[in-house]
C-alpha cells in the first residue's frame, strides 16, 4: 500500500460557484487534479449532472475524491458503495470556505497524507481521526514512496499491539520514522523491519525498500519475463515488492514480453546499454532506487481527439492521456481546449497549417523517452493529426530508426459529424460518407467528382471544412452538384460550434442552403432521398427500398 502517488488523477468535486475559490487553491497544490462542477450551477474543468452518481462512479474507478461539501452528503452518496471490497481511494470532505478538512475513507491509500497536504494549502489543521496516526504522528501502514508494506493484515495487528501498550525496535533504515512518536525499546518483542528479504515473521511490521533492479539481458519471443524475475528473486530470498524497476538493453525497447512483465510486476521499465551480458541479473541496493534516474523509458506518442468541445464528450482515455502527458502539441485553439495544464507539463502550440512539422517534432520528443500527446479536435483520425503523424513516420523512419521504437497510439474521439448528427436526431442512420471540402491538399476536381458520385449513390453526406475565406466560391459549386441528385426539400443539418458555448443548430432544406449560412466552424450534413423530419428531429430510416 503506497501513500498518495502524484500520478493518480484526483477529483475536486464542487456543487456551486461558491466553492470554486477553495477548489482552485487545493488544485494549485495537487498535481493531476481536476475540478468537477455541477453542470447547472458552475463552470469547472469537468461537468457532471448528478452528484451522488458522479461521486459513486469516481469511487468505483479508484479516483481520490475531495468533495467541497458537508461530510454527510458524501457519506450518503457513497453509502451503498462501501460494502464493496476492493481498493478504497482516499475520500475527504472539505468545508466550502476552506475552514475544515475531514478525511473520511482511504486510510490505507494515504487519505491522512492528503488531508495534511490540503490543510497545509488552506492554512488549517486537518481533522485526523485515526488512532494510530494520532498516537504516533505517522500512519505506519502507509510508508513513503520507495517503500512497500509487506502485509496489511499483519500490519493492522502490529499497530493494535502498539496501541495496546507494546513497544517496538526498528531494524534497518527507516528515515521517515525518525520523528515518529513510537514507543521504542531496544529489547522489544516487536520490530519494524526494513528489508528487501521476504519474511514470514509474525512479530514484525515488514516494510520492503524498493531497492532491487532486475537487468534482463536477453529476451526471446513468448518469454515469461515476469516469471523469470520472480524465480530469480525467490532464489535470493527477495520479496517481489522490493523490485524497483526492470532494466534492459535499448534494442528490446519494443519487446512485448518486457512490457507485459513490467505491467505484471507493477514496476517501471527502463532501457540502457551499460548492463552486463547475463540473461538476468539482480542488483540489490541498500536504499530505494529512483527508477527515473536509470537510463530512459520507452517514449510514447499518443494522438488524441478532444471531441467537439465540451468536457463531457471527451473520452476518459483521452483525458487519461492528457493527465499522463509530459509534452502536449497541437493547434493553439485545441491545446487551450485541452488545458489547464500543470507546471511540469510542456505545451507546444503551433499554427494550424504546420501539421507535418508538428508530427515530426512529436516523434523527436518521444524518441527522447518523453510522454507526448498530440491533440486534435473531434476524432484524430478524421481529417486530423493521426494521419499526419503516420505520414511523418512513413517518410521519416528510414532516416530516424528511433521513431519506430516509440510507442504510438491513437485514441479515438467524437467526430464533429457524429456530435452534430446526435443533436439533430439520426441523419446518419443509414449509409453515409464524410468529405472535406478543403482543396488545400487535393484538387478541386476530385472533390466535385466525389460529391457527384455520392449524390448518385444516394449517400447522406457530411461536409467538413465547408468554407473558408481562401475558398469563397467552392461551397456554392458543391451545392449545385448535390442539387442535380436531390430534391429541394431534402433536409440539411447545419451544426456550428457544437459542444462549445456558442453552439447553434439549424435545420434547413437543400433549396434554402447557401454559403452565407456556413463557415469553417460549421458541419454540414445533407440528407439522402429518404432522410425525413419528425417534429424537431431529422433522421434517415434504417431501411431502403
Ligand atoms: N478531426 C475533426 C475534424 C477536423 S476538420 C473531427 O473529427 O471533428 C475541421 C472541420 O470539422 C471544421 O471545418 C468543421 O466543419 C468541423 N468541426 C469541427 N469541430 C466542430 C464543431 N464543434 N461543430 C461543428 N463543426 C465542427
Amino acid at each position: 500500500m503506497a501513500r498518495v502517488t502524484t500520478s493518480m488523477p484526483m477529483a475536486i468535486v464542487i456543487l456551486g460557484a461558491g466553492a470554486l475559490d477553495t477548489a482552485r487553491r487545493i488544485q494549485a497544490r495537487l498535481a493531476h487534479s481536476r475540478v468537477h462542477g455541477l453542470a447547472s450551477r458552475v463552470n469547472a474543468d469537468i461537468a457532471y449532472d448528478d452528484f451522488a452518481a458522479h461521486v459513486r462512479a469516481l469511487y468505483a474507478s479508484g479516483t481520490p475524491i475531495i468533495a467541497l461539501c458537508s461530510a454527510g452528503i458524501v457519506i450518503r452518496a457513497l453509502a451503498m458503495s462501501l460494502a464493496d471490497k476492493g481498493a478504497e481511494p482516499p475520500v475527504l470532505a472539505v468545508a466550502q470556505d476552506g475552514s475544515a478538512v475531514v478525511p473520511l475513507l482511504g486510510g490505507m491509500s494515504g487519505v491522512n497524507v492528503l488531508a495534511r497536504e490540503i490543510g497545509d494549502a488552506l492554512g488549517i489543521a486537518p481533522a485526523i481521526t485515526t488512532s494510530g496516526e494520532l498516537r504516533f504522528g505517522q500512519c505506519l501502514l502507509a510508508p513513503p514512496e520507495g517503500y512497500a508494506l509487506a502485509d496489511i493484515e499483519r500490519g493492522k495487528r502490529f499497530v493494535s499491539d502498539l496501541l495496546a501498550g507494546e513497544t517496538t525496535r526498528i531494524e534497518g533504515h527507516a528515515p521517515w520514522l525518525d520523528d515518529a512518536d513510537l514507543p521504542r525499546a531496544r529489547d522489544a518483542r516487536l520490530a519494524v523491519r526494513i528489508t528487501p528479504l521476504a519474511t514470514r515473521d509474525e512479530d514484525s511490521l515488514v516494510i520492503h525498500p524498493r531497492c532491487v533492479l532486475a537487468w534482463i539481458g536477453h529476451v526471446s519471443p513468448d518469454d515469461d519475463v515476469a516469471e523469470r524475475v520472480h524465480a530469480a528473486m525467490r532464489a535470493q530470498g527477495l520479496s517481489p515488492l522490493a523490485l524497483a524497476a526492470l532494466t534492459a538493453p535499448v534494442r528490446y525497447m519494443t519487446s512485448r514480453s518486457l512490457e507485459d512483465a513490467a505491467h505484471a510486476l507493477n514496476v517501471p521499465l527502463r532501457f540502457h546499454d551499460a548492463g552486463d551480458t547475463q540473461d538476468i541479473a539482480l542488483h540489490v541496493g541498500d536504499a530505494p532506487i529512483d527508477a527515473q534516474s536509470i537510463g530512459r523509458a520507452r517514449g510514447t506518442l499518443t494522438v488524441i481527439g478532444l471531441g467537439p468541445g465540451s468536457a463531457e464528450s471527451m473520452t476518459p482515455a483521452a483525458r487519461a492521456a492528457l493527465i499522463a502527458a509530459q509534452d502536449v502539441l497541437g493547434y493553439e485553439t485545441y491545446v487551450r481546449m485541452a488545458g489547464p495544464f500543470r507546471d511540469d507539463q510542456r505545451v507546444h502550440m503551433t499554427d494550424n497549417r504546420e501539421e507535418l512539422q508538428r508530427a515530426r517534432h512529436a516523434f523527436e520528443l518521444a524518441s527522447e523517452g518523453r510522454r507526448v500527446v498530440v491533440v486534435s479536435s473531434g476524432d484524430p483520425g478524421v481529417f486530423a493529426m493521426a494521419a499526419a503523424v503516420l505520414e511523418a513516420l512513413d517518410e521519416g523512419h528510414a532516416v530516424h530508426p528511433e521513431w519506430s521504437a516509440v510507442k504510438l497510439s491513437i485514441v479515438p474521439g467524437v467526430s464533429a459529424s457524429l456530435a452534430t448528427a446526435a443533436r439533430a436526431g439520426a441523419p446518419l442512420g443509414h449509409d453515409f460518407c464524410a468529405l472535406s471540402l478543403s482543396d488545400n491538399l487535393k484538387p478541386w476536381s476530385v472533390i466535385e467528382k466525389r460529391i457527384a458520385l455520392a449524390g448518385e449513390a444516394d449517400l447522406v453526406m457530411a461536409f467538413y471544412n465547408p468554407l473558408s475565406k481562401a475558398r469563397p466560391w467552392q461551397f456554392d459549386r458543391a451545392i449545385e452538384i448535390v442539387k442535380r441528385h436531390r430534391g429541394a426539400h431534402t433536409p440539411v443539418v447545419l451544426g456550428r460550434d457544437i459542444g462549445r458555448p456558442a453552439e447553434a443548430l439549424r435545420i434547413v432544406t437543400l433549396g434554402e442552403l447557401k454559403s452565407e449560412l456556413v463557415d469553417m466552424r460549421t458541419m454540414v450534413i445533407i440528407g439522402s432521398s429518404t432522410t425525413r423530419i419528425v417534429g424537431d428531429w431529422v433522421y434517415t430510416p434504417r431501411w431502403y427500398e
Side-chain angles (χ1 to χ4, degrees):
M1 293 290 154
R3 57 174 51 196
V4 177
T5 61
T6 47
S7 58
M8 244 191 281
M10 302 190 200
I12 303 169
V13 187
I14 62 174
L15 285 156
L20 198 54
D21 254 13
T22 308
R24 295 291 185 209
R25 275 165 74 200
I26 297 172
Q27 185 179 33
R29 173 63 70 97
L30 303 175
H32 306 282
S33 60
R34 296 269 172 145
V35 179
H36 299 228
L38 185 61
S40 56
R41 298 261 187 81
V42 57
N43 201 0
D45 307 335
I46 292 171
Y48 67 83
D49 292 320
D50 176 336
F51 177 81
H54 188 65
V55 167
R56 274 198 294 276
L58 290 169
Y59 184 84
S61 69
T63 308
I65 300 167
I66 300 153
L68 272 67
C69 59
S70 82
I73 296 182
V74 187
I75 291 168
R76 235 169 265 124
L78 287 178
M80 62 194 250
S81 310
L82 298 182
D84 299 345
K85 295 248 161 41
E88 183 175 85
V91 179
L92 304 95
V94 176
Q96 226 184 244
D97 62 0
S99 62
V101 181
V102 189
L104 297 172
L105 296 166
M108 294 304 122
S109 45
V111 72
N112 289 328
V113 177
L114 191 53
R116 289 216 162 87
E117 205 149 331
I118 294 171
D120 201 45
L122 298 175
I124 52 170
I128 305 284
T129 55
T130 326
S131 45
E133 174 125 4
L134 282 176
R135 186 81 158 266
F136 312 131
Q138 276 278 340
C139 178
L140 286 176
L141 304 184
E145 195 126 19
Y147 295 85
L149 184 66
D151 183 324
I152 183 70
E153 290 311 320
R154 225 172 287 166
K156 284 181 184 166
R157 281 203 302 280
F158 184 90
V159 172
S160 307
D161 287 350
L162 287 194
L163 287 171
E166 290 246 23
T167 53
T168 182
R169 296 168 283 135
I170 296 185
E171 274 180 26
H173 190 49
W176 74 97
L177 290 179
D178 285 351
D179 25 83
D181 200 5
L182 288 175
R184 297 181 199 226
R186 211 169 282 158
D187 57 351
R189 176 179 71 89
L190 301 180
V192 178
R193 290 180 61 193
I194 316 298
T195 173
L197 296 175
T199 154
R200 301 206 53 78
D201 178 352
E202 282 294 328
D203 293 333
S204 294
L205 178 76
V206 178
I207 294 173
H208 300 301
R210 295 189 182 278
C211 63
V212 179
L213 282 181
W215 166 259
I216 316 295
H218 181 77
V219 185
S220 47
D222 297 327
D223 196 347
D224 190 343
V225 177
E227 185 40 48
R228 273 166 62 201
V229 172
H230 269 299
M233 292 191 81
R234 249 192 326 267
Q236 298 193 27
L238 295 164
S239 162
L241 289 173
L243 190 64
L246 291 188
T247 57
V250 173
R251 69 173 179 285
Y252 289 130
M253 202 170 256
T254 58
S255 158
R256 189 60 203 261
S257 312
L258 271 177
E259 195 183 329
D260 289 348
H263 192 76
L265 295 162
N266 194 21
V267 292
L269 176 57
R270 309 287 299 185
F271 298 91
H272 63 87
D273 282 328
D276 35 45
T277 51
Q278 270 166 284
D279 266 11
I280 189 164
L282 299 179
H283 301 269
V284 184
D286 42 15
I289 294 168
D290 175 13
Q292 309 306 317
S293 66
I294 301 160
R296 60 190 181 87
R298 179 183 185 192
T300 64
L301 200 178
T302 309
V303 193
I304 67 166
L306 300 174
S310 61
E312 76 256 39
S313 54
M314 190 194 300
T315 66
R319 191 176 307 286
L322 281 173
I323 288 170
Q326 293 175 309
D327 293 86
V328 180
L329 290 81
Y331 173 48
E332 191 173 341
T333 311
Y334 303 146
V335 171
R336 288 195 197 289
M337 248 164 75
F341 295 103
R342 303 181 304 271
D343 293 346
D344 62 301
Q345 294 182 302
R346 296 204 304 224
V347 176
H348 314 259
M349 296 193 267
T350 47
D351 189 80
N352 205 10
R353 284 175 293 275
E354 297 164 8
E355 283 135 350
L356 211 51
Q357 186 48 39
R358 184 188 304 149
R360 291 189 200 109
H361 188 197
F363 272 112
E364 279 158 18
L365 292 168
S367 305
E368 292 166 14
R370 300 185 62 84
R371 285 189 301 278
V372 180
V373 165
V374 172
V375 299
S376 284
S377 77
D379 178 89
V382 177
F383 308 121
M385 283 307 297
V389 162
L390 291 173
E391 284 167 35
L393 181 64
D394 206 356
E395 59 156 54
H397 74 281
V399 194
H400 306 283
E402 70 280 8
W403 289 9
S404 301
V406 165
K407 187 173 169 145
L408 177 63
S409 33
I410 320 282
V411 175
V414 178
S415 191
S417 58
L418 306 183
T420 302
R423 288 283 199 266
L428 308 181
H430 198 81
D431 299 347
F432 67 95
C433 64
L435 295 169
S436 167
L437 296 196
S438 167
D439 58 356
N440 286 343
L441 300 168
K442 61 185 166 189
W444 177 253
S445 58
V446 170
I447 300 175
E448 285 201 1
K449 182 171 175 193
R450 289 185 179 169
I451 296 173
L453 291 172
E456 190 183 326
D458 200 17
L459 294 170
V460 172
M461 293 178 226
F463 289 161
Y464 288 77
N465 301 312
L467 191 96
S468 78
K469 290 200 184 75
R471 298 180 277 112
W473 54 266
Q474 282 88 334
F475 186 73
D476 285 324
R477 176 85 189 109
I479 299 312
E480 235 178 84
I481 300 168
V482 174
K483 281 181 177 161
R484 288 187 210 143
H485 303 274
R486 301 284 153 83
H489 293 295
T490 306
V492 173
V493 177
L494 302 176
R496 185 170 193 273
D497 279 336
I498 295 297
R500 300 178 191 168
E503 166 166 336
L505 184 78
R506 288 183 72 169
I507 314 293
V508 298
T509 63
L510 184 57
E512 292 161 347
L513 184 59
K514 52 180 191 237
S515 59
E516 285 72 31
L517 299 180
V518 307
D519 63 7
M520 267 308 267
R521 285 147 71 178
T522 312
M523 161 55 52
V524 181
I525 299 178
I526 301 187
S528 70
S529 65
T530 61
T531 302
R532 305 161 57 89
I533 300 221
V534 51
D536 293 334
W537 300 102
V538 179
Y539 78 105
T540 307
R542 294 158 302 144
W543 42 262
Y544 202 84
E545 280 156 19

